Amino acid sequence: MDTNILFWVGFNLFVLILLGLDLFVFHKKSHEVKIKEALLWSAFWIVLSLAFNVGIYFWKGSGPALEFLTAYLIEKSLSVDNLFVFILIFNFFHVPSAVQHKILFWGVLGALFFRAIFILVGVALIAKFHFIIYILGGFLIFTGIKMAFTNNDEEIDPEANPVVKFVSRYIPITNKMYGDKFFVKIDKTRFATPLFLVLIMVETTDIVFAADSIPAILAISKDPFIVYTSNVFALLGLRALYFALAGIMQLFHYLHYGLSLILVFIGAKLVLSDIYHLDMRIALGVVAFILTMSVVLSLIFPKKDTHPLPLPDVAEEEEGSTDSTK
């Protein structure tokens, strides 16, 4: 691709600076993120993403700008399913609200690393083996149909997670939380805390979701810079979106089906790309229309047994006299 390496380096440095400011300045001390704060941060990340989209327009033109906006919108929408699972994980482990931001921060950082690998490998494979687009398209259609019949309220079972089982086998784990620490030293022995298991589950969950979202974005653009940056901006706003919507996400019960329909639509677009080229403006309009109708129908026809999933807000365990480290 013609994207200069300096843009890649500059963009990633910019993202690292933003993440550093987020963790070490604005959220230096663990605290419960209120809805007002979450909404302000959500607005900040959305405005920043749209400003970058404008920069893409003046740098690369209207085509890539439309690709970025469509990819960003799809990734942002698909991330809602991640949030449902995050709520279940946090509730299962009784993670205090004050430390959830830290978990999501490191979860996003890991997601950026793994998704960069997925994107670069995906783009390289598509460039070398054109038939892969049909496989990806079929996979998206299958995933969309399967998603429509998947229940987001299924119980979380940490013991079924192979990474968690592996870690539990080789690393001793405490049976209680120690503030926002992932590891502690007790009697000169280093233990992982349950919070570390939560982080592992968040990371592995995102990798599973990336298997759906990355092919969907690759169906929109083959430019790795567009695919990567749209993914990054959607992920950067994921934490704020979680705290802003965690209490009301179940109200939008039709959104799940809307996301399924979007995956089927994008998959069909990819499979038929050699026969019929769908204008990106039409694709963006279809995605926006499906999302809007999903939300509107959810509000017009509310689910009778809908009730917000409570954010876990249990008291942190006292650390006592143990020698603990982050």
Side-chain angles (χ1 to χ4, degrees):
M1 307 302 293
D2 61 349
T3 304
N4 194 300
I5 188 65
L6 291 178
F7 285 104
W8 283 90
V9 174
F11 177 79
N12 282 293
L13 283 176
F14 175 67
V15 170
L16 290 175
I17 290 173
L18 287 177
L19 289 174
L21 289 173
D22 189 345
L23 183 64
F24 300 111
V25 178
F26 299 111
H27 295 92
K28 186 176 182 179
K29 293 184 178 180
S30 296
H31 67 281
E32 181 179 352
V33 179
K34 302 294 185 180
I35 292 181
K36 181 179 178 181
E37 180 185 354
L39 289 173
L40 288 174
W41 274 107
S42 291
F44 168 77
W45 292 117
I46 291 173
V47 170
L48 187 63
S49 304
L50 295 177
F52 186 82
N53 195 186
V54 173
I56 292 289
Y57 173 81
F58 286 108
W59 173 36
K60 295 193 139 207
S62 60
L66 276 173
E67 290 179 356
F68 176 91
L69 183 59
T70 306
Y72 173 76
L73 186 60
I74 291 174
E75 180 62 38
K76 195 79 170 175
S77 305
L78 290 174
S79 66
V80 173
D81 257 20
N82 296 46
L83 303 187
F84 276 108
V85 179
F86 291 165
I87 290 176
L88 294 175
I89 294 174
F90 288 158
N91 277 315
F92 182 90
F93 284 95
H94 302 291
V95 179
S97 298
V99 301
Q100 290 174 16
H101 183 276
K102 181 176 180 179
I103 290 287
L104 293 175
F105 173 88
W106 291 109
V108 166
L109 199 62
L112 292 177
F113 172 76
F114 288 113
R115 292 194 180 208
I117 296 175
F118 291 165
I119 289 169
L120 292 175
V121 171
V123 171
L125 287 175
I126 290 175
K128 190 169 184 178
F129 306 104
H130 181 71
F131 68 88
I132 287 181
I133 65 172
Y134 303 114
I135 298 176
L136 291 179
F139 174 74
L140 288 175
I141 294 173
F142 169 78
T143 303
I145 296 173
K146 182 180 178 183
M147 179 186 289
F149 297 96
T150 300
N151 184 3
N152 270 321
D153 297 327
E154 292 179 356
E155 292 294 326
I156 292 293
D157 183 12
E159 294 182 358
N161 187 304
V163 181
V164 170
K165 288 197 294 186
F166 177 82
V167 171
S168 302
R169 185 179 302 172
Y170 295 101
I171 299 178
I173 300 172
T174 66
N175 58 4
K176 68 176 184 177
M177 299 283 187
Y178 285 84
D180 62 353
K181 296 175 174 61
F182 296 126
F183 296 94
V184 295
K185 272 188 178 180
I186 302 176
D187 296 331
K188 298 182 179 180
T189 301
R190 184 175 291 269
F191 289 79
T193 69
L195 211 60
F196 183 66
L197 294 183
V198 175
L199 178 62
I200 290 176
M201 291 201 66
V202 167
E203 291 283 12
T204 52
T205 296
D206 184 79
I207 291 175
V208 171
F209 276 101
D212 299 337
S213 64
I214 297 301
I217 305 304
L218 289 174
I220 298 300
S221 175
K222 303 299 183 296
D223 185 334
F225 190 75
I226 296 295
V227 177
Y228 176 68
T229 53
S230 61
N231 232 268
V232 168
F233 275 110
L235 286 173
L236 287 176
L238 183 62
R239 291 156 300 148
L241 186 65
Y242 169 82
F243 291 106
L245 300 181
I248 61 173
M249 277 192 296
Q250 282 196 336
L251 297 177
F252 306 119
H253 53 282
Y254 282 116
L255 183 59
H256 185 72
Y257 300 102
L259 297 177
S260 304
L261 188 56
I262 287 174
L263 286 180
V264 172
F265 167 70
I266 296 299
K269 175 184 178 298
L270 198 58
V271 170
L272 300 173
S273 59
D274 286 340
I275 301 174
Y276 177 75
H277 175 72
L278 186 66
D279 189 281
M280 190 54 60
R281 289 170 292 185
I282 297 177
L284 176 60
V286 171
V287 171
F289 175 77
I290 293 174
L291 288 175
T292 302
M293 289 306 299
S294 299
V295 173
V296 170
L297 289 174
S298 297
L299 297 177
I300 295 177
F301 305 104
K303 197 174 181 180
K304 291 184 179 180
D305 59 346
T306 296
H307 60 279
L309 279 173
L311 285 175
D313 191 14
V314 298
E316 297 182 24
E317 300 281 356
E318 293 185 4
E319 295 184 28
S321 59
T322 57
D323 176 23
S324 58
T325 58
K326 291 186 180 179

